[in-house]
Amino acid sequence: MASDNSLKAGERVDLLYPSRRQIIQSKKTFSYSVDAILLAHFAKLPKSRHAKLLDLCAGNGAVTLLLADQTSAKLVGVEIQEKLVDMARRSASLNGLSDQVDFLQADLVDYSQQVPAGSVDCLTCNPPYFQSSKTRQNKLAAYAQARHEVTLDLASLLEAVSRLLKNKGLAYLVYRTDRLVELIDQSLTYSLVPKQVQLVYPKFNRPSKFFLVKLIKQGSKAGFQLDPPFYIMDDKSKYTDQMIQVLKGNG
């Protein structure tokens, strides 16, 4: 585990499954959760070391670190919160990934306008997906910014994604199921075609809370795939075999 001098006040080191990498977390910032694990499992990155890959709304780097197992290409995580970027960079160093993984502190909309348009092969994103006006925000600003559309709404996100991606480039997102129709509608507005969706359920016989989606820029509307449902826990509040296999790195 990390030595004490690699951590700042209030921080701890946790294991990041299924990779069992070390990740620095803090109660004062938003920690990774199961949606990050499932997004990294769902995404399929290009193998070429020349591919340009981004992880947007990277938080403390969980998805970025997990994706490093999929490719030899360089991965760049973009995150607006400075504290999270600092933690993510130190986590990359702890795992010996600093040469492959980097993190930038930037507003996503500004970033998308500063880099060459149509230059990204593939990206992932675990964005804030609660509408600020409709849900109660956490009192901690770091949590509110990670969960709510304080600085980034859905339209702005999708416009930035479309600008960044090459034609036929791929985007993998995790989002709230109660906003599925909205996401599909707005994605098409920005030439992002949903090609694959998987609904995720917290338990059997409970409504889906979030979903995973693959978007293709300027893709064909034919060939849409709805995956079998994914259940996190069974009716006894234990992880399902599906979830266990993901945590083991199988499937």
Side-chain angles (χ1 to χ4, degrees):
M1 303 298 278
S3 60
D4 291 341
N5 62 14
S6 68
L7 299 178
K8 298 181 178 180
E11 294 180 345
R12 68 184 188 274
V13 174
D14 293 332
L15 288 179
L16 177 60
Y17 289 90
S19 67
R20 296 185 68 83
R21 299 190 191 281
Q22 298 178 67
I23 185 167
I24 297 172
Q25 306 208 99
S26 169
K27 290 182 179 180
K28 295 182 180 180
T29 61
F30 192 73
S31 298
Y32 85 88
S33 55
V34 69
D35 55 354
I37 295 173
L38 294 180
L39 175 60
H41 179 263
F42 181 75
K44 300 296 181 284
L45 302 187
K47 302 296 184 183
S48 171
R49 64 185 180 88
H50 300 295
K52 184 167 183 179
L53 309 176
L54 295 178
D55 178 31
L56 307 179
C57 305
N60 67 344
V63 174
T64 322
L65 294 172
L66 287 171
L67 291 174
D69 287 333
Q70 285 197 30
T71 182
S72 58
K74 187 175 180 64
L75 284 157
V76 177
V78 181
E79 168 57 42
I80 194 171
Q81 295 193 53
E82 186 177 359
K83 288 183 179 179
L84 290 174
V85 171
D86 174 59
M87 292 166 65
R89 285 174 176 164
R90 286 182 286 127
S91 291
S93 179
L94 278 176
N95 293 283
L97 291 172
S98 295
D99 289 340
Q100 182 189 7
V101 175
D102 193 16
F103 294 91
L104 299 178
Q105 192 266 318
D107 175 272
L108 174 54
V109 174
D110 290 343
Y111 175 80
S112 70
Q113 294 172 349
Q114 292 169 7
V115 301
S119 61
V120 176
D121 294 284
C122 183
L123 63 82
T124 55
C125 186
N126 185 358
Y129 41 55
F130 288 105
Q131 292 174 296
S132 296
S133 61
K134 295 185 178 181
T135 54
R136 192 173 182 177
Q137 292 185 26
N138 195 290
K139 292 181 180 179
L140 282 175
Y143 276 78
Q145 198 166 8
R147 290 168 55 84
H148 299 265
E149 294 180 333
V150 176
T151 60
L152 181 70
D153 61 19
L154 179 59
S156 299
L157 166 66
L158 294 172
E159 183 177 13
V161 168
S162 183
R163 177 178 172 78
L164 289 165
L165 285 178
K166 297 177 179 179
N167 282 347
K168 309 304 180 184
L170 299 176
Y172 295 92
L173 279 72
V174 57
Y175 215 69
R176 290 275 302 182
T177 304
D178 58 8
R179 301 186 69 183
L180 172 60
V181 174
E182 182 184 359
L183 181 136
I184 291 175
D185 180 59
Q186 293 205 34
S187 294
L188 294 171
T189 298
Y190 294 104
S191 302
L192 299 168
V193 178
K195 297 295 288 186
Q196 180 183 0
V197 168
Q198 184 172 42
L199 298 176
V200 180
Y201 296 80
K203 286 184 177 182
F204 298 143
N205 301 317
R206 296 284 182 87
S208 170
K209 292 295 185 182
F210 64 90
F211 66 95
L212 301 155
V213 59
K214 177 173 77 171
L215 306 170
I216 298 181
K217 183 177 177 181
Q218 299 289 358
S220 168
K221 293 182 181 178
F224 173 78
Q225 175 179 314
L226 181 62
D227 287 355
F230 190 99
Y231 297 97
I232 297 172
M233 291 187 174
D234 60 22
D235 52 10
K236 296 181 180 179
S237 298
K238 294 183 178 180
Y239 281 141
T240 61
D241 288 341
Q242 277 180 301
M243 191 68 214
I244 290 171
Q245 291 306 307
V246 170
L247 293 173
K248 287 182 175 179
N250 301 329

